[in-house]
């Protein structure tokens, strides 16, 4: 039975310092050599995913930005992506400017990922921007108004702030046509929440469905920890929450495994794979 194992990254596969441990790296290298098909489904973009998984062979495409993009790491190209309609994206940026909430807007031109921002007077958003050029060489562009960056290639709008402030933005944009969102807690900062906006055709579930049909998977097993992984779970035949997952994610899971501190995802895959081989 052709099986895909697909894991969230932050809070699930990665350690609390946002790295892939040496043990997990070795296990995933071994599993790849054995022919096990593994992928990830993350809110991250390819810039950071490529860096984090640089030592792991990834023959399967990865799911990025909560399902917005499907990227072939071997061919180094976007295999599929969903856009936000121009009028809807303009409405979002107008609301953000009216409510004076800073955000990042992403576009894809050819195979190039662009990231635009207006002002960054919020310390959390500034820290988000400041860390990434140093760690991942992400291309950021400052514009006078975020509406200037909107095009027919707009794929993603994201912001991070305290829950109450972000929730007001969510409520203001939730009715817009052709738009959906992921709203969840930052696993690295207990006081911050993410709001991530994308086209209605993009979600971790829809990305998993795409991989299932494109590659003929009979069985898909997913792993996650946060609210944005509920969509991933909905597309899987089996789904497992790590021990450090939110209670809502554990309640939706087939079962609960060890924590991200214990390399639980690759350890579980290894045990499951050899159990099936013997069976």
């Amino acid at each position: 039975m052709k099986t895909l194992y697909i894991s969230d990254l932050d809070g699930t596969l990665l350690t609390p310092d946002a790295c892939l441990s040496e043990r997990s790296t070795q296990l995933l290298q071994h599993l790849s050599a054995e022919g096990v098909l593994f992928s990830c489904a993350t809110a991250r973009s390819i810039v950071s995913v490529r860096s984090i998984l640089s030592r792991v062979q990834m023959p399967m495409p990865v799911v990025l930005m909560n399902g917005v993009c499907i990227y072939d790491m071997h061919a180094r190209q976007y295999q599929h992506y969903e856009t936000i309609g121009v009028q809807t994206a303009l409405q979002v940026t107008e609301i953000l400017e009216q409510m004076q909430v800073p955000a990042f807007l992403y576009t894809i031109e050819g195979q190039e990922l662009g990231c635009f921002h207006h002002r960054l007077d919020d310390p959390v958003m500034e820290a988000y921007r400041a860390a990434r050029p140093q760690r991942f060489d992400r291309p950021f562009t400052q514009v006078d108004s975020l509406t200037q960056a909107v095009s027919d290639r707009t794929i993603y709008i994201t912001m991070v702030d305290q829950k109450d402030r972000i929730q007001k933005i969510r409520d203001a944009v939730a009715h817009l046509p052709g738009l959906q969102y992921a709203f969840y807690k930052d696993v690295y900062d207990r006081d911050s929440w993410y709001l991530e906006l994308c086209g209605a055709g993009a979600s971790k579930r829809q990305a998993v469905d795409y991989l299932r049909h494109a590659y003929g998977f009979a069985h898909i097993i997913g792993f996650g920890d946060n609210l944005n992984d509920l969509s991933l779970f909905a597309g899987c035949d089996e789904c497992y929450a790590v021990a450090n997952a939110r209670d809502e994610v554990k309640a939706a899971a087939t079962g609960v495994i060890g924590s991200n501190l214990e390399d639980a995802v690759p350890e579980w895959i290894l045990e499951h794979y050899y159990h099936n081989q013997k069976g």
Side-chain angles (χ1 to χ4, degrees):
M1 183 168 57
K2 189 175 182 181
T3 299
L4 174 68
Y5 300 89
I6 185 164
S7 177
D8 171 56
L9 292 182
D10 296 278
T12 304
L13 185 65
L14 304 185
T15 64
D17 58 354
C19 294
L20 188 66
S21 74
E22 184 62 27
R23 173 64 176 164
S24 285
T25 299
Q26 292 173 355
L27 287 172
L28 290 175
Q29 289 172 340
H30 173 72
L31 288 165
S32 178
E34 290 288 314
V36 175
L37 296 175
F38 175 80
S39 183
C40 68
T42 176
R44 291 178 177 269
S45 76
I46 189 54
V47 183
S48 58
V49 171
R50 186 186 290 124
S51 175
I52 289 167
L53 299 179
S54 61
R55 296 173 57 199
V56 178
Q57 292 293 321
M58 300 291 292
M60 290 302 304
V62 295
V63 175
L64 306 172
M65 296 179 161
N66 283 324
V68 170
C69 308
I70 297 174
Y71 188 86
D72 186 328
M73 293 183 67
H74 180 71
R76 297 177 72 88
Q77 65 182 16
Y78 291 96
Q79 188 168 313
H80 178 78
Y81 60 86
E82 297 284 345
T83 59
I84 302 173
V86 172
Q87 291 305 313
T88 295
L90 287 172
Q91 287 178 279
V92 171
T93 58
E94 289 169 5
I95 289 170
L96 291 171
E97 290 176 1
Q98 289 170 5
M99 300 181 73
Q100 298 186 342
V101 174
F104 294 101
L105 183 148
Y106 293 84
T107 63
I108 290 179
E109 297 292 343
Q111 294 298 319
E112 295 298 321
L113 180 69
C115 182
F116 301 86
H117 65 87
H118 176 206
R119 58 182 182 80
L120 291 178
D121 52 11
D122 180 274
V124 177
M125 291 291 281
E126 172 56 29
Y128 176 96
R129 187 207 64 78
R132 282 156 176 80
Q134 297 174 4
R135 293 185 62 191
F136 306 123
D137 193 29
R138 182 194 300 273
F140 282 95
T141 302
Q142 185 166 355
V143 291
D144 293 333
S145 169
L146 206 58
T147 58
Q148 296 175 355
V150 172
S151 74
D152 60 358
R153 299 293 183 177
T154 301
I155 60 167
Y156 204 59
I157 302 171
T158 184
M159 63 218 76
V160 57
D161 208 322
Q162 294 183 348
K163 182 179 182 180
D164 290 347
R165 192 178 188 206
I166 291 293
Q167 195 161 358
K168 289 178 182 177
I169 299 296
R170 183 201 65 179
D171 294 343
V173 304
H175 70 284
L176 295 179
L179 191 73
Q180 65 177 322
Y181 63 84
F183 179 55
Y184 60 97
K185 193 176 185 302
D186 183 352
V187 299
Y188 302 113
D189 182 350
R190 65 180 183 178
D191 295 324
S192 296
W193 281 65
Y194 278 99
L195 177 62
E196 294 164 338
L197 309 175
C198 59
S203 70
K204 287 189 178 184
R205 174 175 186 165
Q206 286 159 308
V208 167
D209 289 343
Y210 176 94
L211 293 176
R212 184 190 297 275
H213 296 298
Y215 293 91
F217 287 108
H219 201 69
I220 297 180
I221 301 175
F223 304 87
D225 75 301
N226 213 334
L227 296 179
N228 61 329
D229 295 318
L230 294 174
S231 175
L232 169 64
F233 283 10
C236 294
D237 302 290
E238 294 179 52
C239 46
Y240 294 91
V242 286
N244 51 288
R246 291 181 62 93
D247 289 341
E248 300 96 319
V249 180
K250 291 178 180 178
T254 306
V256 178
I257 62 175
S259 77
N260 64 330
L261 284 171
E262 303 170 297
D263 305 296
V265 170
E267 292 281 10
W268 189 95
I269 296 173
L270 184 68
E271 181 180 351
H272 180 267
Y273 172 72
Y274 281 123
H275 175 77
N276 284 353
Q277 288 291 96
K278 292 176 181 178

